[in-house]
Amino acid sequence: MQRSSLQNILFCVIILAIAAFFLFKPKSKGATAVVNFPNGSQTTIDLTQNKQYDFTSNGYQVHLVVEDGSIRFVDSECPDHLCEGFGRLSHSDQMATCLPAGVSVIVN
């Protein structure tokens, strides 16, 4: 093989290694979650304290449960319950939204 071919292969291997590092890098555990409402207000929730939160937004009752460092939508009154399907959120930048209620949850 020529020297330039070896350099190209080495370059590709390095790029793939860097890409794999960022792709498979574990996300950090979030300590708080921000709940956003359609009127622009926000509430910050501590994910270290197990607790249930109830909010009313756009005429819908939304229930959030914090357990073991995660937060999730449960038993919300929205018509489709898609928000409940997001499951437990516990890592930074994970997000769930209840569109009918206009409520979103983002883990910090």
Side-chain angles (χ1 to χ4, degrees):
M1 265 191 194
Q2 291 180 322
R3 183 178 176 125
S4 63
S5 295
L6 288 174
Q7 287 175 333
N8 288 340
I9 291 171
L10 182 60
F11 177 76
C12 289
V13 168
I14 291 171
I15 294 299
L16 288 173
I18 291 170
F21 171 77
F22 285 108
L23 183 64
F24 297 109
K25 181 177 126 182
K27 291 189 173 190
S28 61
K29 276 285 232 192
T32 61
V34 176
V35 182
N36 297 296
F37 299 95
N39 65 2
S41 66
Q42 294 182 330
T43 298
T44 301
I45 294 177
D46 181 1
L47 297 183
T48 63
Q49 303 293 319
N50 293 350
K51 188 174 177 181
Q52 180 168 330
Y53 296 86
D54 301 315
F55 301 105
T56 301
S57 178
N58 285 348
Y60 295 103
Q61 188 76 17
V62 175
H63 307 285
L64 297 169
V65 172
V66 174
E67 289 178 321
D68 303 323
S70 68
I71 188 167
R72 64 188 171 110
F73 284 94
V74 294
D75 300 324
S76 294
E77 294 179 351
C78 57
D80 56 14
H81 299 277
L82 291 176
C83 56
E84 296 169 15
F86 285 99
R88 295 176 184 266
L89 310 174
S90 60
H91 291 90
S92 296
D93 300 326
Q94 287 183 319
M95 178 180 167
T97 303
C98 180
L99 288 178
V103 175
S104 66
V105 177
I106 303 170
V107 176
N108 289 333

